[in-house]
Amino acid sequence: MSYKICVYAIAKNEMKFIDRWYNSVKEGDYVCVLDTGSTDGSYEKFKSLGIITKQKSYKKFRFDIARNDSMELIPDDTDICVCIDIDEMFEPGWSKILRENWSDDVSRARYRYTWNFNPDGSEGVVFMADKIHKNKMFSWKYPVHEVLKLNDGYPTNYKTIDLPNIQLNHRADNTKSRSNYLPLLELSVKENPYDDRNVHYLGREYMFHGEYDKAIRTLKKHLKLPTATWDAERCASLRYIANCYGYKGKLNKKIEYLHRAILEADYMREPYYELGVTYYQIKNYLMSAFYFNEMFKITTRALNYISSPDCWDGKTYDYLSMCYYYLGDYLRAIRTVTHAIEFSPNDARLKNNREIFLQELNRKTK
């Protein structure tokens, strides 16, 4: 059976991304876009490409309503719906993989998603996203950080398949403001005060905005919710609380909560890394080296949005080499800075550090 695929999206003033996006999604049978009030010619561009499109403006915008409105554009004979944003693009061949692996008993599919890229072009945060779904079976929920929720009348034990060979890349427009995220998250938590996911997101958003006391209270609320059972997210809440205490100058509380984060999810590198950096900043190089080395014992990267690329690139080797240098262990300093250079072969500072370490080792061994 050949399944019909519809890609759908919402958009506002995305002219500079449209061609790139459309070229990546036109493998689908249909492409639909709800334009939410563009003034840069995006709406006209969508129409010129033959995309099924409609324009609708909102007095009080929220993502779930807009996405649900965009789903009304999906043709009835669509089997598989694919929701992606205009600043995202699939790598070629995604539709073939999807059709070959879909079956009548499948309701959702997960795929590999690169949320951001590092300055050197390497991948940053990578996780399995899940915005591919059967037509008419789901609706969007929450004003922001919206998720798909099962419509009434459908069985809850539906089948989801993992398709890691489908790759979606996110190239964000960093010039766009995300100032509406905080009020939308506050609204979301007001509407659903016991939803652990958005309570966590709200606490994180308060931290981003420098409202550290609100962040601490909200993240502690997240940890007390009976549905907050995902250890990786609980670990992240503890880390964010720790960072807020650090910003407030309460170092002992920061260290306490980072240790609690390790106890919550000892398979995540992030709390070890942050303890290593914290001890480095206060010049306790022995403890810093200890936690960085503990971090290296974790060799499998969790494929979730919480996994930080800082724990998997050359930064840790850079920090660790300096720890060994200050501890007078120049041989280990040379070995670890060499690893750091492997990640950043053109970094002049790292190369200069290695020369300094070599000089100190030679001086010590004479």
Side-chain angles (χ1 to χ4, degrees):
M1 179 177 178
S2 180
Y3 295 99
K4 285 195 174 181
I5 298 172
C6 178
V7 177
Y8 70 102
I10 58 174
K12 184 176 181 180
N13 294 330
E14 302 281 8
M15 178 63 82
K16 60 185 174 182
F17 294 127
I18 292 174
D19 284 329
R20 185 187 71 184
W21 175 81
Y22 180 66
N23 286 332
S24 86
V25 302
K26 63 184 181 182
E27 294 182 17
D29 299 281
Y30 305 113
V31 180
C32 303
V33 176
L34 178 70
D35 187 289
T36 61
S38 293
T39 57
D40 67 346
S42 291
Y43 177 58
E44 292 75 18
K45 177 72 172 179
F46 291 131
K47 289 198 296 183
S48 73
L49 291 169
I51 292 170
I52 302 168
T53 188
K54 176 183 176 181
Q55 194 166 50
K56 182 176 181 178
S57 297
Y58 298 85
K59 288 183 179 179
K60 292 184 178 180
F61 179 85
R62 47 189 290 167
F63 285 92
D64 54 353
I65 290 176
R67 291 207 191 276
N68 286 331
D69 287 345
S70 73
M71 294 175 77
E72 294 180 5
L73 302 176
I74 298 171
D76 287 338
D77 64 343
T78 297
D79 299 298
I80 309 169
C81 303
V82 180
C83 179
I84 76 167
D85 290 330
I86 309 298
D87 59 359
E88 300 170 338
M89 58 180 179
F90 279 119
E91 293 188 359
W94 63 271
S95 63
K96 184 175 185 292
I97 297 170
L98 184 55
R99 286 191 179 94
E100 288 176 347
N101 288 276
W102 197 266
S103 58
D104 290 346
D105 63 338
V106 172
S107 298
R108 293 182 73 171
R110 294 173 5 121
Y111 47 93
R112 193 175 186 276
Y113 181 51
T114 302
W115 182 77
N116 70 337
F117 290 84
N118 300 318
D120 64 359
S122 61
E123 291 185 315
V125 175
V126 180
F127 58 94
M128 294 294 284
D130 58 359
K131 295 182 180 181
I132 296 176
H133 60 90
K134 182 176 286 188
N135 194 17
K136 303 183 185 302
M137 189 170 174
F138 299 89
S139 299
W140 292 94
K141 183 179 179 180
Y142 302 134
V144 68
H145 293 304
E146 62 282 9
V147 296
L148 286 164
K149 293 293 185 180
L150 192 67
N151 290 332
D152 292 340
Y154 288 93
T156 57
N157 59 339
Y158 59 81
K159 181 178 179 180
T160 300
I161 56 173
D162 284 348
L163 302 176
N165 290 332
I166 292 180
Q167 173 67 39
L168 182 65
N169 298 319
H170 180 222
R171 302 280 185 176
D173 183 357
N174 294 322
T175 65
K176 281 196 170 184
S177 171
R178 54 174 286 152
S179 59
N180 65 331
Y181 274 46
L182 180 54
L184 287 173
L185 276 168
E186 289 176 328
L187 174 62
S188 181
V189 172
K190 183 179 179 180
E191 291 178 349
N192 300 276
Y194 301 106
D195 183 88
D196 57 280
R197 178 178 178 273
N198 275 356
V199 172
H200 169 78
Y201 279 136
L202 177 59
R204 185 183 68 171
E205 199 70 19
Y206 281 137
M207 180 185 70
F208 291 158
H209 283 258
E211 299 187 45
Y212 302 127
D213 290 328
K214 283 185 178 180
I216 290 169
R217 286 196 301 271
T218 306
L219 291 164
K220 286 183 176 180
K221 176 185 175 182
H222 167 251
L223 293 168
K224 291 179 180 178
L225 290 171
T227 54
T229 57
W230 184 23
D231 54 3
E233 196 164 70
R234 292 179 60 84
C235 175
S237 280
L238 290 163
R239 287 171 40 230
Y240 298 154
I241 292 170
N243 289 330
C244 288
Y245 278 127
Y247 295 136
K248 288 166 60 67
K250 297 184 178 182
L251 183 63
N252 289 338
K253 296 292 285 185
K254 179 180 182 180
I255 291 172
E256 174 195 338
Y257 273 85
L258 287 176
H259 279 110
R260 289 178 62 177
I262 289 175
L263 293 175
E264 194 67 57
D266 61 2
Y267 64 92
M268 299 287 292
R269 280 190 172 192
E270 285 71 19
Y272 296 96
Y273 174 81
E274 291 177 14
L275 274 167
V277 172
T278 299
Y279 279 116
Y280 181 87
Q281 290 170 341
I282 62 175
K283 300 183 179 181
N284 188 334
Y285 302 117
L286 189 62
M287 289 299 290
S288 179
F290 172 79
Y291 281 105
F292 285 137
N293 278 305
E294 287 297 296
M295 188 200 81
F296 283 132
K297 293 179 182 178
I298 301 168
T299 57
T300 301
R301 182 175 181 177
L303 204 60
N304 59 49
Y305 78 94
I306 294 169
S307 177
S308 171
D310 288 347
C311 304
W312 299 90
D313 60 19
K315 291 186 184 67
T316 306
Y317 291 108
D318 185 9
Y319 274 118
L320 188 55
S321 70
M322 293 303 300
C323 289
Y324 287 138
Y325 169 73
Y326 288 124
L327 291 169
D329 192 338
Y330 303 123
L331 184 59
R332 282 188 173 142
I334 293 165
R335 289 173 180 167
T336 48
V337 79
T338 300
H339 284 307
I341 292 169
E342 290 171 359
F343 284 91
S344 303
N346 298 318
D347 192 317
R349 180 185 61 83
L350 293 175
K351 292 179 179 179
N352 184 61
N353 281 357
R354 184 167 61 181
E355 289 304 313
I356 292 171
F357 301 161
L358 283 166
Q359 291 171 11
E360 292 295 334
L361 180 64
N362 290 333
R363 189 179 295 114
K364 182 180 179 180
T365 54
K366 279 184 179 178

